Amino acid sequence: MHSSEEIPVSGMSAGRSAMRMGPAELVQAAAMARRFYLEGKSKIQIAEEFGVSRFKVARVLETALERDLVRIEIRVPAELDAERSDALRARYGLRHAVVVESPAEAEESPDPENLGEVAADLLGELVAEGDVLGLAWGRSTIHMAAALDRLPPCTVVQLTGVYDAGTAERGSVEAVRRAAQVSGGDAHPIYAPMLLPDAATAAALRSQTGIARAFEYFDKVTVACVSIGSWEAGISTVHDMLTEEERAHYASLGVEAEMSAHLFDVEGRRVGRDLGERCITVEADRLRRIPEVVAIAGGQRKSGAIDAVLRSGLVTSLVTDTAAADALMTTGPAPRPALDRADPDGL
């Protein structure tokens, strides 16, 4: 955020309303405004310098704003939409919402790559030394990890298995390694598929030493980064891993969204919980206890899924784009605040 101020010191340049001030008042007001807005001095420091009370300084600064001696301009980088960000944060009761301009040529595409770059900067703000950062599988989290250039020393743990064990080195395992390399902390990857043929196989894998060690960190995670998928081909990796019959079954349950192998209907209620028993993933209840859960998802096609996941109460912050944000601002009645993280199922 950047602010700039113009401080006219003559009665004419200050505008008609400021012409009532005499030249001595104008000069003093301009000097005080310069000290406060440009030099960062406190009102007490200014009062001591000019030999007046701090209340007098406060009145002068207020008058300077009212009479247009000071013009304050708020700027953010061009790719960030501050107005949409604030509106979205307020609508969903999020801790942070960051809206990025959608690429003009790809407004219909899900998760533009620039979301990952902005999310990387956001994690640089949110993660503190000694935190445990959890990363779930997703294209957007992989883009985010690739864009990371600063993180304080922290432990990094993988929250889900991988989409395809054969691509682990280029996917979420590499994302965990990359984040740990940037932070200088320990990495705890999971070398296992996200989806297994049955619950027994998944349970056996969870008991293996390396995977069990990663799972032990789940309750210690302080900041998590997740992706959101719509229940359609090419936009949800879990959808794409299932058979046609399985997809139809879960669709019949009203699935609107998928996040870390958890399925949600349009109201944010979890459905198809049996799927989780076959998956290597952080449990929803554990996600709910993580203080900061940042979702990265964008594109108009994903807006319904994003809305559903935000209504679940599992996410505290969102990085998205203008195409998704505009759709989200017009979806039905406003949901309960996301920071009210009670389970919508009441379970």
Side-chain angles (χ1 to χ4, degrees):
M1 181 175 293
H2 172 76
S3 62
S4 62
E5 296 78 22
E6 301 174 12
I7 308 176
V9 297
S10 72
M12 292 297 292
S13 62
R16 185 169 58 186
S17 61
M19 290 179 66
R20 300 171 187 167
M21 299 177 72
E25 291 176 304
L26 279 169
V27 169
Q28 184 184 70
M32 289 183 177
R34 186 173 291 107
R35 304 289 194 280
F36 186 73
Y37 291 107
L38 300 183
E39 299 175 13
K41 292 189 175 181
S42 69
K43 293 174 184 176
I44 293 177
Q45 290 174 314
I46 298 170
E48 291 175 351
E49 178 182 349
F50 286 88
V52 298
S53 72
R54 67 177 185 275
F55 303 107
K56 168 80 179 289
V57 174
R59 287 195 300 272
V60 170
L61 293 174
E62 185 177 348
T63 300
L65 284 172
E66 290 175 351
R67 300 193 176 186
D68 208 24
L69 268 73
V70 176
R71 302 185 185 97
I72 299 176
E73 181 181 354
I74 308 298
R75 296 178 185 170
V76 295
E79 69 270 17
L80 299 182
D81 192 309
E83 186 175 349
R84 283 185 174 93
S85 298
D86 189 53
L88 199 60
R89 180 201 56 76
R91 175 176 172 79
Y92 285 91
L94 295 164
R95 185 171 291 122
H96 304 284
V98 182
V99 177
V100 182
E101 285 289 340
S102 302
E105 70 281 3
E107 287 194 357
E108 295 301 316
S109 301
D111 302 337
E113 288 194 24
N114 61 341
L115 294 185
E117 298 169 4
V118 173
D121 287 341
L122 179 61
L123 284 188
E125 289 184 62
L126 298 181
V127 177
E129 183 173 351
D131 275 349
V132 177
L133 172 63
L135 299 181
W137 158 263
R139 297 182 187 92
S140 55
T141 53
I142 292 170
H143 291 154
M144 179 277 300
L148 281 172
D149 59 10
R150 63 184 177 101
L151 272 180
C154 65
T155 299
V156 186
V157 61
Q158 193 170 322
L159 296 178
T160 65
V162 299
Y163 173 44
D164 179 351
T167 64
E169 296 302 313
R170 302 188 300 277
S172 47
V173 170
E174 178 56 30
V176 169
R177 286 177 169 173
R178 167 65 182 167
Q181 179 184 30
V182 172
S183 74
D186 294 332
H188 295 276
I190 294 177
Y191 294 96
M194 181 188 294
L195 181 67
L196 282 304
D198 52 62
T201 305
L205 271 179
R206 290 190 203 103
S207 66
Q208 291 188 357
T209 303
I211 297 174
R213 186 178 299 117
F215 268 64
E216 288 173 1
Y217 275 91
F218 286 179
D219 285 330
K220 303 174 185 177
V221 173
T222 49
V223 180
C225 190
V226 300
S227 298
I228 296 172
S230 299
W231 198 245
E232 57 181 299
I235 307 188
S236 165
T237 51
V238 171
H239 176 281
D240 293 347
M241 286 189 281
L242 295 172
T243 67
E244 193 63 42
E245 183 179 355
E246 289 170 330
R247 294 170 191 164
H249 165 67
Y250 290 116
S252 72
L253 301 180
V255 175
E256 176 73 20
E258 174 265 317
M259 180 184 70
S260 302
H262 301 296
L263 309 181
F264 306 88
D265 67 11
V266 293
E267 298 297 330
R269 294 182 295 253
R270 288 180 58 214
V271 295
R273 297 186 183 219
D274 60 304
L275 181 64
E277 298 174 5
R278 296 170 50 194
C279 293
I280 303 298
T281 186
V282 60
E283 299 94 327
D285 290 342
R286 277 175 157 170
L287 265 178
R288 200 178 301 279
R289 293 195 294 268
I290 296 174
E292 184 75 76
V293 179
V294 180
I296 312 170
Q300 188 172 3
R301 289 176 64 187
K302 274 196 178 182
S303 59
I306 297 169
D307 177 69
V309 171
L310 293 182
R311 290 174 185 273
S312 76
L314 292 175
V315 168
T316 60
S317 298
L318 175 69
V319 178
T320 190
D321 65 349
T322 52
D326 287 345
L328 287 168
M329 292 303 295
T330 60
T331 55
R336 62 190 176 86
L339 297 182
D340 172 14
R341 302 183 73 187
D343 190 334
D345 294 331
L347 301 177

